[in-house]
Amino acid sequence: ILATRRLISHWKFDGNLNDSVQSVVPGAPVFNGQFSSGTPVYEPGISGQALVMTSGGPVVQIPGSNAFFNFYPYGFTVSVWMKDTSPTGLWATLMTNTSANNQTGYTLALNPWEGLATLGLRGHDATGSSNGNLISDIPLRDGQWHLVTGTYDRTSRVMRLYVNGGLVKMSSPASADPPKSVGDLFFGSYTTGGTAATFNALLDDMRIYSYPL
């Protein structure tokens, strides 16, 4: 099933953490999220409702997803609408499956200084960054809605980062495929296994595809 170019998961955050992929791909595996503690809070989003993330508050884990949300025959796309209001100095980790030692996996985030969109792919050796990060030049910590999307093309081994639908950064080809992660997928945690969110934001319409869009 991972050899098919398709939507893999879709979390709408319309009052729950459920994966709605079967509304598009009947019979597809479903990966519902769970809050690390307490009850999720929702506010009006870009479409329907959005999940509220609060610095120091709970995070979302997709249990049992460590083998599924890795790299596919064609690569992957990760995408989310976000509205960040964090103060300077906080990493806004939108989604990640990086391992606890931060050596494998991918991360979609805003960096803690200017709030620049960042796509990290540990082990990718052609981004110009020692830890495999592509970093945009567009500050997004402005309290407005933005669409942040990252892709990895397994054929070319090239990463691409998009903001609001426009390409903002692209890597050179890596010398080899980065190693797979052994961690579950998380929303809000810097690495897998984290229990406290690192930022203040709304998240909405989060999607993962089995190929680079």
Side-chain angles (χ1 to χ4, degrees), residues 6 13 39 61 69-70 76 86 123 130 145 168 199-201 208:
R6 69 170 182 86
F13 302 131
T39 302
Q61 179 181 2
F69 291 101
N70 256 294
F76 64 81
S86 303
S130 61
W145 283 105
V168 295
F199 61 108
N200 305 317
I208 298 179

Side-chain angles (χ1 to χ4, degrees), residues 5 17 74 82 86 141 143 145 151 155 168 186 199 202:
R5 295 174 181 263
L17 303 176
Y74 306 108
M82 50 74 60
S86 303
R141 190 156 279 159
W145 283 105
T151 70
T155 299
V168 295
F186 277 73
F199 61 108
L202 298 179

Side-chain angles (χ1 to χ4, degrees), residues 75-181:
F76 64 81
T77 296
V78 290
S79 181
V80 62
W81 281 93
M82 50 74 60
K83 182 165 71 171
D84 186 275
T85 57
S86 303
T88 300
L90 295 183
W91 267 104
T93 306
L94 309 176
M95 71 166 72
T96 188
N97 73 344
T98 54
S99 55
N101 63 7
N102 205 26
Q103 298 301 305
T104 61
Y106 54 78
T107 298
L108 197 62
L110 302 187
N111 78 0
W113 305 283
E114 303 92 344
L116 304 177
T118 302
L119 173 64
L121 182 52
R122 300 297 179 260
H124 195 292
D125 58 7
T127 65
S129 167
S130 61
N131 56 4
N133 282 343
L134 281 181
I135 303 175
S136 78
D137 300 318
I138 304 172
L140 301 183
R141 190 156 279 159
D142 56 7
Q144 303 298 313
W145 283 105
H146 298 284
L147 178 63
V148 181
T149 304
T151 70
Y152 174 68
D153 187 321
R154 194 176 179 197
T155 299
S156 64
R157 294 178 178 156
V158 168
M159 297 164 57
R160 291 177 173 84
L161 178 62
Y162 301 82
V163 173
N164 298 327
L167 179 66
V168 295
K169 283 289 180 177
M170 182 172 69
S171 76
S172 298
S175 61
D177 271 335
K180 292 184 178 181
S181 176

Side-chain angles (χ1 to χ4, degrees), residues 1-9 19 21-22 24-31 67-75 208-211:
I1 192 168
L2 296 183
T4 303
R5 295 174 181 263
R6 69 170 182 86
L7 177 68
I8 291 292
S9 283
D19 179 3
V21 65
Q22 288 190 350
V24 177
V25 187
V30 171
F31 289 88
F68 197 78
F69 291 101
N70 256 294
F71 306 117
Y72 311 105
Y74 306 108
I208 298 179
Y209 295 83
S210 63
Y211 64 100

Side-chain angles (χ1 to χ4, degrees), residues 17 34-42 51 57-60 195:
L17 303 176
Q34 66 180 31
F35 230 28
S36 57
S37 64
T39 302
V41 175
Y42 303 91
L51 177 66
V59 301
V60 177
T195 57

